[in-house]
Amino acid sequence: MADHKRKLTIAVSGLNAIDSPGPGVAVIRALREAESFDVRIIGLAYESLEPGIFMHDLVDRTYQIPYPSAGIDAVFERIDYIHSREKLDVIIPNFDAELYPFIRLEKRLKEMNIHMCLPTMEQFEERHKVNLNEFGTRYNLKVPKSTVVHELSSVYSLPSEFKYPVVVKGKYYDASICYNMEQIKTQFNKITAKWGLPIIIQEFVHGSEFNVTGLGDGKGNTISAIPMRKQYITEKGKAWGGISISDKRMLELTHSFISQTKWKGGFELELMKDKNGEFYLLEINPRMPAWIYLSVGVGQNIPEALVRLALGEDVKPFAEYRVGKMFVRFAWDMIVDMEEFQTISTMGEL
Amino acid sequence: MKMKSNIAVSDSGFIFNPDTGESFTVNPIGGLIINQLKEGRETQEISRLIRDKYNVQFATFEKDFDDFIGLLRNYSLIENG
């Protein structure tokens, strides 16, 4: 039978496949293996040295886009220009920080026939680590105690229930374990300089790190859920190796999260299992994780299903996945011509 | 006492717990004990089998055997008890 797969043009951000990698390259690899469509991939990059820009077997063309801090209009203008050149069908934003403008732009982009599969602004906001305590109470999920700090002087009056060590977290990124007040102050300054205020101080839960990635259809159905145990963790706390597992409680927790919140889109739950075997929900990342290619390895191509949801198609929940599949990340040096770096740096396109 | 049914044990003594993602390796005697437990054998039966097969005193074996079962329990590889 002849292959008559439709061809979709999909723009993907998060091409920074670095030591703390964005999910873009993994998402693209999954899309290239989609069974229900072929793809032309448009990379969306913020910096001219994001490795995905130069991966020409994965990314057909890349455009630089303005940081979210440039404002929604600037982002829209750039997307409008890219769309005029490429006729985008779908955009998959892969950074927490860019979800805000893209959620706001969802309606306008849909009118231009550009589709996305994103959580609502309410879902995006309520799962924010700043609101994790309330989120845990509302949905009956166990979360570590945390407090939001808006100024350095507040750390001196931390509630007495906090015992060292504590975890100091940035609003969007960065987290560090602190064992005394001096370390908290140092981290406060370091994180606020990079990511701004507020910061979050969280109870440190001793245990093993687990993650779940999944996909919700926005109606309370779990399209996909894949639990993973981190096997190799970098200094930045990123999984450099992991394995799919079958823990039923993690799956139940995920179904509960999706059915109660009616989550729409990809996500990652960060969990810690303490010595008593209790799972604590540390964070909900509102987008697919950098290890999303494992979903293809276990038989549930989440990026493909997400694109089909974005296009308004009826997507049936995956029935099963392979347990005991591992991912092992690696670093790889590409040789890049100076001209390419020059073009993306000066023209903003490659 | 029984090994959890979903625990995978390879011929080379590699153990994988699909619930937790933990993996372990055991020597041939450990592998033999685990396979006997998986088949539902009682500890007395396993004890007899090992002592018949290897030249080991009862007291020495019992101590090591208890330690080993304790480890399996500690890593949640055993179903009950």
Side-chain angles (χ1 to χ4, degrees), chain A residues 66-123:
Chain A
Y67 276 102
S69 55
I72 288 175
D73 290 340
V75 174
F76 179 77
E77 246 175 57
R78 186 63 175 157
I79 295 295
D80 190 34
Y81 166 77
I82 297 167
H83 185 53
S84 72
R85 305 281 301 270
E86 304 292 347
K87 296 280 167 284
L88 303 176
D89 294 302
V90 174
I91 299 178
I92 305 179
N94 283 308
F95 286 121
D96 297 20
E98 69 186 1
L99 284 186
Y100 181 78
F102 276 107
I103 292 172
R104 294 276 305 272
L105 287 171
E106 192 169 16
K107 205 173 155 208
R108 282 168 82 184
L109 294 177
K110 196 165 186 183
E111 285 165 4
M112 295 158 64
N113 231 8
I114 303 174
H115 304 270
M116 294 187 288
C117 179
L118 301 175
T120 63
M121 190 58 85
E122 291 72 30
Q123 291 168 341

Side-chain angles (χ1 to χ4, degrees), chain B residues 16-32:
Chain B
F16 174 61
N17 182 346
D19 286 339
T20 64
E22 289 171 310
S23 54
F24 313 88
T25 50
V26 289
N27 65 17
I29 299 176
L32 177 63

Side-chain angles (χ1 to χ4, degrees), chain A residues 11-28:
Chain A
V12 180
S13 69
L15 305 183
N16 56 329
I18 55 170
D19 59 340
S20 178
V25 170
V27 168
I28 294 166

Side-chain angles (χ1 to χ4, degrees), chain A residues 36-71:
Chain A
S36 56
F37 50 77
D38 283 330
V39 287
R40 172 171 163 76
I41 296 291
I42 305 303
L44 304 177
Y46 291 97
E47 299 286 339
S48 46
L49 271 179
E50 292 182 23
I53 298 170
F54 307 101
M55 297 178 180
H56 302 306
D57 51 340
L58 291 177
V59 181
D60 294 293
R61 186 160 180 82
T62 300
Y63 293 83
Q64 271 192 311
I65 56 172
Y67 276 102
S69 55

Side-chain angles (χ1 to χ4, degrees), chain B:
Chain B
M1 183 165 45
K2 209 177 164 192
M3 290 289 289
K4 283 185 178 167
S5 57
N6 59 350
I7 302 289
V9 187
S10 76
D11 291 342
S12 59
F14 185 84
I15 303 167
F16 174 61
N17 182 346
D19 286 339
T20 64
E22 289 171 310
S23 54
F24 313 88
T25 50
V26 289
N27 65 17
I29 299 176
L32 177 63
I33 293 171
I34 283 172
N35 278 319
Q36 295 295 312
L37 284 169
K38 266 185 85 86
E39 285 170 23
R41 299 254 154 71
E42 293 300 325
T43 48
Q44 292 91 330
E45 270 184 276
I46 301 171
S47 170
R48 201 163 43 243
L49 179 92
I50 303 281
R51 282 184 289 119
D52 285 348
K53 195 166 179 183
Y54 298 95
N55 182 20
V56 57
Q57 287 192 337
F58 180 76
T60 310
F61 173 76
E62 284 298 290
K63 183 185 169 298
D64 289 350
F65 187 62
D66 280 351
D67 284 350
F68 186 64
I69 297 298
L71 273 177
L72 297 181
R73 192 170 281 131
N74 190 31
Y75 290 119
S76 303
L77 297 170
I78 287 176
E79 204 140 68
N80 51 20

Side-chain angles (χ1 to χ4, degrees), chain A residues 275-294:
Chain A
K275 61 180 187 304
N276 300 317
E278 295 281 349
F279 281 106
Y280 285 80
L281 180 61
L282 302 186
E283 246 178 77
I284 301 164
N285 292 318
R287 37 90 196 148
M288 293 178 277
W291 55 276
I292 193 66
Y293 188 68
L294 182 66

Side-chain angles (χ1 to χ4, degrees), chain A residues 309-342:
Chain A
L309 279 180
L311 293 169
E313 295 175 15
D314 183 31
V315 181
K316 296 271 177 291
F318 288 101
E320 53 189 25
Y321 63 92
R322 286 186 283 277
V323 172
K325 279 282 175 193
M326 295 167 58
F327 74 89
V328 181
R329 198 166 279 165
F330 66 104
W332 178 270
D333 297 345
M334 290 183 291
I335 302 302
V336 176
D337 286 331
M338 175 70 180
E339 286 71 26
E340 292 197 345
F341 178 59
Q342 184 183 310

